[in-house]
């Protein structure tokens, strides 16, 4: 087990520097300001040590090792978290999700599938459902509100994540991400940080939801959500009942 912690330590240091560097270099490529040829030419230039991301990844990686043990899935999730760190930063700052992140996630999904071939239907339908839900929302937003509700980057991200996590987990990830998006989006509008018509990057909510699903069993999240909805419904019902008595 101690070997796993050591491997995670060095993996966090290496991936932390890669993440820090790509967070600076990738946005111009994603927004098509520069070509891939120019990207690779400048990849080595301006490289700086940034310990911040290494420390963040180190904390998460070691908790993953503690939670899941020295297994293949721990390393799959470690690389996934590093990839999603890039997704979080770039989508938050530029409302863009790099296709490179989707490719990495699909590769991780294929590796996971090789260890779980009997569950291939769950992973396949997870990809279809994960991407499909967001694609339908995007189409409905264009038809009803005449504007983009979900970027196609979100659709591809959820499809690739569905292939990695399977049906049940991707549904929970979708549920939690919408829940977080609704709460945080409402708070930002109340604080006048965002207008109701302005675009809020959804990638960060997806990333937070995935981190939660890695550490918490989906059944527990579902039960907690049902309990929360039931309690909220009872609370609202009691308020309406008490108000009706005053009339």
């Amino acid at each position: 087990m101690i070997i796993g912690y050591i491997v995670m330590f060095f993996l966090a240091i290496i991936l932390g520097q890669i993440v820090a560097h790509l967070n600076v270099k990738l946005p111009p490529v994603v927004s098509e300001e520069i070509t891939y040829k120019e990207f690779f030419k400048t990849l080595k230039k301006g490289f700086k040590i940034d310990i911040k991301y290494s420390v963040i990844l180190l904390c998460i990686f070691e908790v993953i090792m503690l939670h899941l043990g020295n297994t293949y899935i721990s390393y799959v999730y470690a690389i996934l978290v590093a990839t999603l760190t890039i997704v979080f930063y770039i989508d938050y700052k530029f409302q863009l999700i790099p296709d490179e992140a989707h490719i990495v996630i699909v590769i991780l999904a294929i590796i996971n599938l090789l260890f779980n071939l009997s569950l291939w239907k769950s992973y396949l339908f997870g990809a279809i459902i994960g991407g499909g839900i967001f694609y339908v929302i995007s189409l409905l937003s264009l038809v009803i509100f005449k504007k983009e509700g979900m970027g196609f980057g979100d659709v591809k991200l959820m499809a690739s994540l569905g292939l990695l996590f399977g049906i049940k987990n991707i549904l929970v990830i979708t549920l939690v991400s919408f829940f977080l998006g609704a709460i945080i989006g409402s708070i930002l509008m109340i604080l006048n940080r965002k207008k109701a018509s302005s675009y809020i990057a959804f990638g960060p909510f997806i990333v937070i939801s995935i981190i939660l699903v890695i550490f918490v069993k989906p059944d527990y999240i579902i039960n907690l959500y049902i309990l929360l909805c039931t309690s909220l419904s009872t609370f609202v019902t009691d308020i309406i009942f008490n108000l009706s008595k005053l009339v």
Side-chain angles (χ1 to χ4, degrees), residues 208-229:
I208 295 172
S209 302
I210 293 163
I211 300 297
L212 183 63
V213 167
I214 288 175
F215 294 113
V216 182
K217 292 181 179 180
D219 288 337
Y220 182 81
I221 296 175
I222 293 171
N223 291 334
L224 184 62
Y225 182 78
I226 293 173
L227 178 62
L228 179 62
C229 290

Side-chain angles (χ1 to χ4, degrees), residues 169-229:
N169 282 324
I170 201 63
L171 288 174
V172 173
I173 289 169
T174 301
L175 177 68
V176 174
S177 61
F178 278 120
F179 182 74
L180 292 174
I183 292 177
I184 296 175
S186 299
I187 292 173
L188 289 176
M189 284 189 286
I190 291 173
L191 297 176
N192 294 321
R193 295 286 298 276
K194 293 282 185 180
K195 295 181 180 179
S197 59
S198 63
Y199 180 79
I200 299 176
F202 203 76
F205 302 128
I206 297 174
V207 172
I208 295 172
S209 302
I210 293 163
I211 300 297
L212 183 63
V213 167
I214 288 175
F215 294 113
V216 182
K217 292 181 179 180
D219 288 337
Y220 182 81
I221 296 175
I222 293 171
N223 291 334
L224 184 62
Y225 182 78
I226 293 173
L227 178 62
L228 179 62
C229 290

Side-chain angles (χ1 to χ4, degrees), residues 25-96:
K25 297 295 183 180
L26 266 181
V29 179
V30 180
S31 59
E32 298 181 347
E33 294 176 10
I34 64 173
T35 64
Y36 274 103
K37 185 177 181 180
E38 293 170 313
F39 167 73
F40 286 113
K41 281 184 178 180
T42 60
L43 194 58
K44 294 181 180 179
K45 293 182 180 179
F47 183 86
K48 297 179 180 179
I49 299 295
D50 189 336
I51 201 66
K52 174 180 62 180
Y53 288 102
S54 291
V55 171
I56 293 172
L57 293 184
L58 178 60
C59 293
I60 298 175
F61 287 6
E62 297 298 352
V63 175
I64 289 175
M65 181 60 61
L66 177 65
H67 183 63
L68 298 173
N70 191 19
T71 60
Y72 85 93
I73 197 65
S74 293
Y75 299 103
V76 167
Y77 284 162
I79 297 172
L80 173 67
V81 169
T83 304
L84 293 177
T85 304
I86 297 173
V87 171
F88 188 105
Y89 177 83
I90 294 180
D91 196 32
Y92 176 75
K93 293 284 289 186
F94 305 99
Q95 286 76 56
L96 299 166

Side-chain angles (χ1 to χ4, degrees), residues 5-21:
Y5 288 109
I6 295 173
V7 172
M8 283 296 194
F9 174 82
F10 287 106
L11 194 61
I13 298 300
I14 295 170
L15 291 179
Q17 301 314 305
I18 293 174
V19 167
H21 197 51

